Amino acid sequence: MKTQILPALPGHPHIAYVDTSLHIEQVNASAIAETFGTPTYVYSRTAIEQAARQYMDAAARSPVKVALRYAVKANSTLAVLQVLARQGWGFDIVSGGELQRVLAAGGEAGKVVFSGVGKTAAEMRLALDVGVECFNLESPNELAVLNRVAQQAGKVAQVALRVNPDVDAGTHPYISTGLKSNKFGIAQEQAVALAMQTALLPHVRLVGIASHIGSQITSVEPYLDALDKVLDLVEAMERKGAQIEHIDLGGGLGIRYSHETPPTPQDWLAPLLARIAARGFGHRTVMVEPGRSIVGNAGALLTRTLYLKSTPAKHFAVVDAGMNDLIRPALYEAEQVVAPAEVRTGLALHYDIVGPVCESADWLARDRALVLEEGDLLAVLSSGAYGMVMASNYNSRGRPAEVLVDGASTHLIRPRETVEQLYASERLLP
Ligand SMILES: *Cc1c(COP(=O)(O)O)cnc(C)c1O
């Protein structure tokens, strides 16, 4: 018998072929699709924990104190947050909704950093009432609003200034945040003056400095560039009497989608911590806010082939997941590996994998060599981050189910959304 060469899935330690069947941990992908239908997001608990463990190990080995804050926006499903809360992680949030999710999942408010460029007064009040550890502020006017809200609440808000270090992270323009043309952060020229202003306000206390330069960053250099600028600002602020207790490096470490070779969390963190120590800031707490690198490669989107369609120009595989379920390809032209759940032998054709949504941007992958028959199950890998969180109901499609695999067990952590749920709160005219 001919041995079959199975697709290698580098970067996906808990998603692999056993014989010719794709497995998530010990569970057959086809069995998950049979039980829960498609499209369905499936996550490996072990993969999430292992990615988190890499950061925890790097932190444990470091003489510098490191505070780990998972960026909720990458994947905010309660069971996913719960897995990380149980490992002792804190959270980085960008809305009051994310804060409520963290609390519902068992996260500690005292380990929550509130980021985001447009926090409302109501969100600030909620965060103050539950006692988040820090607000990462992005503008002078936001500082004034927070001071007022904290006064009304009878509290003193701990704040960090998120500065914009003006470095090119070398990533997609839509996920670059650290250039001076981006909306994020406080310009370096304004940061010291703003730090001084916090000292005059009775209901805020400056405790930190933060930067976050973008996402899916695959080298350490832009971080080192940003860090140097941030540390220059810390020095300037402290010369004027401020005391900066923590330095927040943000998140953004990339993952391997197809051919990228990002550093491991250890290889990312070690040079940054070394630079912090070398410049004399080793006694400060360092915060990190990874999102994608914790959950990205722990998840896959299972989707079934509805139709194979060939035109004079192309071969299409029309599948039952669309851009409403996974928008990364349409939004960022993201390339994710598409793996068949059962490997077939035969003649491979080059397919564009497209969804049922009425948009030409509705594609999941382009020009993939696959041996396919209608009804075949496919797994779009690396879908654990910025997948379900960005899903919408466009075309009145309920969002996918989510399943967490833990060893040989499967847990339905979010049932598929029904159409009745979509319009349950709508009103007809009298
Ligand atoms: C999005 C975001 C993160 C996480 O980014 P990843 O690329 O998912 O690691 C961290 N911090 C802030 C402020 C963010 O906006």
Side-chain angles (χ1 to χ4, degrees):
M1 204 181 94
K2 262 198 325 195
T3 37
Q4 202 161 22
I5 298 168
L6 295 171
L9 306 173
H12 301 85
H14 298 282
I15 301 180
Y17 286 97
V18 177
D19 299 325
T20 54
S21 304
L22 189 70
H23 282 62
I24 292 87
E25 301 198 25
Q26 293 161 43
V27 182
N28 193 321
S30 301
I32 295 172
E34 292 288 322
T35 308
F36 302 103
T38 51
T40 288
Y41 278 99
V42 51
Y43 310 112
S44 155
R45 177 177 182 169
T46 309
I48 296 172
E49 289 180 341
Q50 230 167 54
R53 176 64 55 191
Q54 292 191 44
Y55 281 95
M56 294 161 80
D57 287 348
R61 272 204 299 275
S62 159
V64 180
K65 188 173 171 230
V66 178
L68 302 170
R69 304 288 176 260
Y70 166 71
V72 172
K73 75 176 191 285
N75 185 324
S76 59
T77 303
L78 293 189
V80 171
L81 301 181
Q82 185 187 23
V83 165
L84 291 160
R86 283 186 180 170
Q87 284 196 310
W89 280 63
F91 297 92
D92 170 65
I93 58 162
V94 293
S95 72
E98 286 189 351
L99 176 54
Q100 287 177 274
R101 280 185 169 274
V102 166
L103 299 176
E108 274 175 58
K111 287 192 201 168
V112 169
V113 177
F114 196 167
S115 299
V117 73
K119 305 172 198 75
T120 66
E123 288 175 317
M124 290 173 178
R125 179 63 195 248
L126 171 68
L128 283 166
D129 286 345
V130 302
V132 301
E133 69 179 328
C134 188
F135 292 82
N136 284 2
L137 295 183
E138 304 228 4
S139 69
N141 295 359
E142 189 189 14
L143 172 67
V145 171
L146 179 61
N147 184 63
R148 195 187 69 225
V149 174
Q151 179 179 22
Q152 286 158 0
K155 303 241 158 103
V156 175
Q158 304 214 98
V159 304
L161 300 186
R162 174 174 175 180
V163 298
N164 183 325
D166 191 27
V167 297
D168 184 357
T171 189
H172 189 282
Y174 287 3
I175 50 176
S176 160
T177 59
L179 287 167
K180 66 178 173 210
S181 55
N182 294 137
K183 70 176 175 181
F184 295 101
I186 296 154
Q188 295 170 84
E189 299 80 359
Q190 298 167 340
V192 178
L194 193 58
M196 295 303 99
Q197 214 177 311
T198 59
L200 305 174
L201 298 173
H203 291 277
V204 293
R205 187 166 87 84
L206 179 66
V207 294
I209 192 158
S211 83
H212 170 75
I213 57 176
S215 198
Q216 185 53 20
I217 301 170
T218 51
S219 73
V220 182
E221 283 70 35
Y223 285 101
L224 285 168
D225 293 347
L227 177 61
D228 275 328
K229 294 184 179 186
V230 165
L231 294 180
D232 290 346
L233 288 172
V234 174
E235 280 168 359
M237 288 172 186
E238 295 201 334
R239 270 199 302 274
K240 300 209 167 179
Q243 277 214 322
I244 304 299
E245 296 161 18
H246 78 252
I247 298 161
D248 182 343
L249 303 175
L253 180 60
I255 61 171
R256 177 166 182 147
Y257 281 102
S258 48
H259 303 293
E260 305 87 339
T261 50
T264 63
Q266 290 96 334
D267 292 344
W268 174 73
L269 205 46
L272 294 167
L273 296 175
R275 178 72 55 93
I276 288 169
R279 286 195 54 178
F281 295 98
H283 54 298
R284 316 299 163 94
T285 297
V286 172
M287 244 175 223
V288 293
E289 307 168 344
R292 186 190 310 269
S293 53
I294 300 291
V295 289
N297 276 340
L301 175 61
L302 301 182
T303 180
R304 205 171 281 288
T305 311
L306 298 172
Y307 302 106
L308 298 179
K309 166 175 171 173
S310 294
T311 69
K314 275 192 186 255
H315 301 294
F316 292 101
V318 183
V319 300
D320 65 2
M323 64 186 290
N324 71 295
D325 303 304
L326 178 67
I327 203 176
R328 296 190 65 261
L331 190 58
Y332 314 122
E333 302 207 302
E335 236 184 80
Q336 299 181 212
V337 171
V338 177
E342 300 290 337
V343 176
R344 293 179 180 282
T345 41
L347 183 67
L349 295 179
H350 284 250
Y351 289 99
D352 279 14
I353 318 280
V354 300
V357 171
C358 295
E359 298 285 342
S360 288
D362 182 31
W363 56 277
L364 298 178
R366 284 177 169 157
D367 203 27
R368 301 301 171 88
L370 289 164
V371 184
L372 271 186
E373 287 183 18
E374 287 180 357
D376 280 2
L377 184 68
L378 298 172
V380 184
L381 304 187
S382 310
S383 297
Y386 306 105
M388 185 62 175
V389 282
M390 286 185 159
S392 78
N393 297 122
Y394 188 39
N395 282 204
S396 285
R397 291 166 52 80
R399 288 174 301 163
E402 288 179 294
V403 170
L404 186 83
V405 174
D406 185 1
S409 339
T410 51
H411 303 278
L412 179 64
I413 58 174
R414 172 162 19 200
R416 183 176 313 287
E417 210 170 17
T418 65
V419 174
E420 291 72 23
Q421 287 173 320
L422 298 192
Y423 57 69
S425 62
E426 294 181 31
R427 302 275 191 275
L428 289 169
L429 296 175

